Amino acid sequence: MSAMARLSGSFPAIVSVDDHTVEPPGVWTDRLPAKFRDSGPRVVRAPVKDMSFVGGRFSPVMGGPGDEGPVADWWIYEDLCRPLTRLDSAVGCSRDDVRVEGITYEAMRPGSYSVPDRLADMDVNHVRSALCFPTFPRFCGQTFAEAADRELALLCVRAYNDWMVEEWCGPRAQGRLIPLTLVPLWDAELAAAEVRRNAARGVRAVCFSEIPPHLGLPSVHGDGWDPFLRACDETGTVVAMHIGSSSRMPSTSADAPAAVGSTLTFANCCFSLADWLLSGAFEKFPGLRIMYAEGQIGWIPYILERADTVWRENRGWGGIADRVRRPPSELFARHVHGCFFDDAFGLRNLDAIGVGNVLYETDYPHSDSTWPHSREVAERQMAHLAPEVVERIVCGNAIELLGLTEDGLWPGPS
């Protein structure tokens, strides 16, 4: 039995590969050069004039002086006004009370943005360590990729990464928070340099978009991302793609309620996986590893079956004969990890996915989070699995993938 299992009793402590941090107000104002502190991201308190989330689109409107309405804390950056919402920090609230509404920091559970409080909430949830995606930058830094001032945007990316490594995952975290950094998506060479800068201080994961063309960026089928992917390959940096990191949540119509998109959250991962498996990227970069955060896993077996059929039967006219030389299912087994927090169907079909290709997550502090019952959910859905398989899913695969210690801790800066 591993040290992880010994420390936590009969059920291994969880290494969650998809949690979230809500950035404290000073992340950028404390780190940007003086000339940018009034133009970089900063927080103001103002009323919410209007807010909707329909057809997969979030549309908040900030009120001005004298306007009535509920008060929220807003991030201001260039022409962007983005409020903190209950969806950013829903844990601790009744599910029926979670709505699309603006909130202040005081209305959040402190573990959303405070390291000591986060560790306490992890203890309650049987979580040993956690990899956290951003909130204001969005899931892969789209906020900065859309900015007009590229000099400032690059500084903002680096400031976030410095905060992530030095403070969020700094000494107070005791190795229990695992760094996940951003790159400047608008320039693959700059992205590669940022990967290498952070890899040199022990970072083993970087955010990326599930479908870059949705952001006006190159696809993975060409060579536009080669400098970035080469840097990830050579440094052992995992490419982490969260649902919604293409700035589009799946939906069916402009008037579809948010519940439709919430049901279909896996869909972008499904499309993205087909892209990666049939792109030739894994042939070009044999050490590259990717993961799909919050995508769940039950959909994976059919995509692998279909991709293998297309590769076998249609590769001649399908445009992949000269660049995809192995069956997609074999590429998946060597390069791809699916992540889930509640997927009994996927676990019943684990043999068609691969024990080594599955990672567990808790999604704290979002509305889908299984906190504080993540252990109970795992025990219930994994009851049919052998203890050694459970340990791999709950912690072992993440330890290997992210270069953690045997006890599931980030070893700190290199």
Side-chain angles (χ1 to χ4, degrees):
M1 185 179 292
S2 75
M4 281 283 287
R6 288 196 301 272
L7 285 171
S8 56
S10 61
F11 193 85
I14 296 163
V15 176
S16 174
V17 296
D18 171 33
D19 286 1
H20 300 264
T21 177
V22 177
E23 300 80 17
V27 168
W28 289 277
T29 54
D30 291 349
R31 288 167 186 79
L32 290 173
K35 69 174 183 177
F36 288 120
R37 285 177 190 158
D38 292 334
S39 54
R42 57 210 182 275
V43 173
V44 302
R45 186 160 290 185
V48 178
K49 190 172 182 180
D50 188 38
M51 186 181 301
S52 64
F53 189 18
V54 178
R57 294 188 176 276
F58 177 49
S59 304
V61 179
M62 186 171 75
D67 284 337
E68 296 184 356
V71 172
D73 284 331
W74 294 73
W75 281 100
I76 308 299
Y77 173 53
E78 293 194 338
D79 59 355
L80 175 65
C81 299
R82 194 275 196 199
L84 299 178
T85 77
R86 179 54 68 202
L87 298 184
D88 295 328
S89 180
V91 292
C93 299
S94 165
R95 295 289 175 138
D96 290 338
D97 291 336
V98 176
R99 296 181 172 85
V100 182
E101 60 182 355
I103 61 172
T104 64
Y105 279 95
E106 289 83 357
M108 291 186 179
R109 191 170 183 88
S112 303
Y113 55 85
S114 161
V115 170
D117 293 290
R118 174 61 63 93
L119 299 188
D121 279 354
M122 289 163 63
D123 289 340
V124 169
N125 202 31
H126 201 68
V127 173
R128 178 62 160 173
S129 55
L131 184 80
C132 297
F133 283 82
T135 297
F136 171 71
R138 313 217 298 276
F139 293 139
C140 67
Q142 303 103 296
T143 295
F144 303 123
E146 294 168 358
D149 186 335
R150 289 294 168 80
E151 178 189 5
L152 174 56
L154 180 58
L155 290 172
C156 286
V157 167
R158 290 174 175 167
Y160 177 87
N161 292 340
D162 291 345
W163 170 80
M164 168 62 61
V165 174
E166 298 166 8
E167 292 200 30
W168 185 251
C169 302
R172 291 188 305 164
Q174 306 166 37
R176 299 181 62 189
L177 296 173
I178 306 162
L180 174 64
T181 52
L182 303 174
V183 294
L185 293 166
W186 58 91
D187 188 311
E189 293 285 357
L190 289 176
E194 191 62 14
V195 166
R196 296 185 191 279
R197 182 176 83 94
N198 292 304
R201 48 184 177 172
V203 176
R204 289 284 300 273
V206 64
C207 301
F208 192 62
S209 174
E210 61 205 353
I211 308 176
H214 286 348
L215 304 179
L217 299 169
S219 79
V220 296
H221 294 287
D223 58 6
W225 291 110
D226 281 8
F228 165 70
L229 298 179
R230 184 174 297 108
C232 292
D233 183 8
E234 293 175 356
T235 61
T237 299
V238 180
V239 177
M241 294 172 284
H242 195 283
I243 59 166
S245 55
S246 60
S247 294
R248 293 189 194 178
M249 292 301 291
S251 191
T252 55
S253 61
D255 59 348
V260 172
S262 186
T263 302
L264 298 173
T265 52
F266 72 93
N268 283 350
C269 299
C270 178
F271 298 156
S272 175
L273 181 59
D275 256 353
W276 280 91
L277 293 177
L278 302 174
S279 69
F282 297 134
E283 305 278 358
K284 193 183 299 185
F285 304 107
L288 189 62
R289 310 281 287 275
I290 68 173
M291 57 172 269
Y292 287 102
E294 209 175 320
Q296 312 303 329
I297 58 175
W299 54 273
I300 292 174
Y302 175 70
I303 285 296
L304 296 182
E305 178 184 276
R306 178 59 185 165
D308 276 359
T309 298
V310 170
W311 179 82
R312 185 177 61 250
E313 304 292 342
N314 300 334
R315 65 178 179 265
W317 63 263
I320 59 171
D322 59 343
R323 54 181 174 168
V324 182
R325 303 190 180 279
R326 290 175 291 168
S329 59
E330 182 179 326
L331 296 173
F332 177 90
R334 295 186 182 188
H335 299 275
V336 185
H337 287 77
C339 312
F340 77 101
F341 55 79
D342 186 0
D343 193 340
F345 180 83
L347 289 167
R348 290 197 300 270
N349 293 276
L350 190 60
D351 59 338
I353 302 169
V355 171
N357 299 90
V358 173
L359 306 169
Y360 195 50
E361 58 187 37
T362 78
D363 196 30
Y364 180 105
H366 285 180
S367 61
D368 264 337
S369 178
T370 51
W371 185 91
H373 305 297
S374 300
R375 173 179 179 169
E376 291 86 343
V377 171
E379 287 180 318
R380 182 174 65 252
Q381 296 190 349
M382 301 182 200
H384 64 292
L385 300 175
E388 60 272 18
V389 173
V390 173
E391 185 169 349
R392 288 191 67 183
I393 294 171
V394 169
C395 59
N397 290 336
I399 288 172
E400 182 275 327
L401 183 67
L402 298 172
L404 307 180
T405 69
E406 182 186 4
D407 289 337
L409 301 175
W410 181 49
S414 300

